[in-house]
Amino acid sequence: MTDTEILTRRFEEHRDHLRAVGFRMLGSTSEADDAVQETWLRLNRAGADDVANLGGWLTTVLSRVCLDMLRTRSSRDEVPLESPALPEPRESTDAGPESEALLADSIGVALLVVLDTLAPAERLAFVLHDLFGMPFDDVARIVGRSPAATRQLTSRARRRVQGGSPDTADTRRRDRVVEAFLAASREGRFEDLLDLLDPDVVLRADAIAVTTSGAAVAHGAPPLTAEMHGALAVATTFSGRAKGAQVVTVDGIRGVAYAPGGRPRAVFSFTIVGDRIVAVDAVADPDTIADLDVVLDSGA
């Protein structure tokens, strides 16, 4: 097998994921295919000999291609030709996790319509972080902003998506998932936590959250780490741990916070697909929390 054939085979392993990301970025299957093709051309020119994580490299390149396309579209005040009748992603018996995530999102075409109202950087940040779980640090490098600024981009986009969607059933469903997670965590219901978590859930924590969580070790709970993967690890971390936490609204979306005396000291935001939590972001840095719109739930 030639080097080109090997490179082609490796690229094809990621094509479905790239197309799913491109479709959410651009709202057009034809434009998504164009972005995927451009990503392949750039890989073919650069080669993959020095690329340790090809999937991450390809997603980054595709995202930058999509960002350029969105900015060009905005400068020309254009919308994709397919927008009035966007096709739903095709269901398949061998669909991967990314395709399943697309199908599970009950907003469907309505979400894509709302995404078209976002600025290019907002749309990219929202899609990469909220829909595909990319860490803010990685998204920040793509959009050329600081992680804190990127978090704000995503928050603004999330508020607009939430407010712009005509279907409130999805909002209520997500709220119930977060509330059930908090209750199961408080009461140490480990199996219920597992049921609420996607098998490949990712927990990301900032440096201060990692440091301050060490105090919980004395009470039998494992400390947070900067990144944890898998439902078992995340459920173990939270089981019986949230007795002092309460429900809050974080940038217009239901979340959880430790807020002694009414002052948020640690905030947990959730990314939910279907009825499962696919990502949890733990923030304890005071400056970052100050940038968030955290509203305590008086009924919690």
Side-chain angles (χ1 to χ4, degrees):
M1 186 177 291
T2 66
D3 289 344
T4 300
E5 289 172 333
I6 293 173
L7 190 63
T8 301
R9 175 174 291 184
R10 293 183 65 192
F11 177 81
E12 289 299 327
E13 293 173 354
H14 299 282
R15 179 183 287 276
D16 287 346
H17 170 75
L18 296 174
R19 195 168 188 266
V21 175
F23 179 70
R24 283 305 176 95
M25 293 274 198
L26 301 168
S28 162
T29 53
S30 61
E31 288 189 333
D33 287 338
D34 289 343
V36 172
Q37 180 64 17
E38 177 61 25
T39 302
W40 158 248
L41 293 174
R42 295 188 185 189
L43 174 65
N44 197 35
R45 288 194 296 265
D49 292 343
D50 298 325
V51 179
N53 179 1
L54 183 60
W57 188 91
L58 290 171
T59 301
T60 297
V61 172
L62 175 87
S63 299
R64 288 172 175 159
V65 170
C66 290
L67 185 58
D68 288 341
M69 294 173 70
L70 287 169
R71 285 170 172 164
T72 299
R73 182 194 297 172
S74 296
S75 67
R76 295 177 181 173
D77 197 27
E78 294 178 350
V79 296
L81 294 178
E82 297 181 46
S83 290
L86 289 169
E88 288 292 333
R90 185 175 73 249
E91 192 163 5
S92 170
T93 56
D94 60 351
E98 294 81 14
S99 296
E100 291 173 5
L102 291 174
L103 294 168
D105 189 346
S106 62
I107 300 178
V109 173
L111 172 62
L112 293 171
V113 172
V114 176
L115 288 177
D116 271 342
T117 69
L118 303 180
E122 288 178 340
R123 181 168 185 160
L124 183 142
F126 177 82
V127 168
L128 288 180
H129 181 269
D130 277 32
L131 301 187
F132 289 93
M134 181 178 286
F136 281 118
D137 287 351
D138 293 343
V139 179
R141 284 190 286 270
I142 295 172
V143 298
R145 306 195 186 194
S146 69
T150 302
R151 188 183 293 275
Q152 286 303 297
L153 275 178
T154 309
S155 296
R156 286 199 301 270
R158 192 182 298 127
R159 286 197 297 271
R160 294 182 67 180
V161 168
Q162 192 76 33
S165 172
D167 184 4
T168 60
D170 186 66
T171 300
R172 291 194 296 268
R173 174 178 53 78
R174 290 168 182 259
D175 289 353
R176 287 195 296 268
V177 171
V178 173
E179 291 161 4
F181 179 85
L182 177 59
S185 178
R186 282 174 173 169
E187 298 164 17
R189 290 186 274 113
F190 185 77
E191 294 298 328
D192 289 344
L193 286 174
L194 286 178
D195 288 341
L196 292 165
L197 296 168
D198 184 86
D200 298 318
V201 63
V202 179
L203 167 63
R204 296 175 289 257
D206 67 14
I208 295 180
V210 170
T211 300
T212 56
S213 71
V217 175
H219 300 90
L224 297 177
T225 58
E227 191 163 306
M228 304 178 72
H229 294 263
L232 183 62
V234 175
T236 301
T237 298
F238 279 99
S239 184
R241 187 170 191 162
K243 291 181 172 59
Q246 65 184 91
V247 172
V248 298
T249 301
V250 185
D251 291 329
I253 306 295
R254 190 61 54 93
V256 169
Y258 288 99
R263 178 183 175 186
R265 299 295 179 89
V267 176
F268 298 85
S269 301
F270 300 85
T271 302
I272 298 168
V273 174
D275 293 315
R276 295 287 185 92
I277 297 168
V278 300
V280 184
D281 286 283
V283 175
D285 184 291
D287 292 335
T288 303
I289 292 177
D291 289 335
L292 300 175
D293 181 14
V294 181
V295 179
L296 304 184
D297 188 334
S298 59

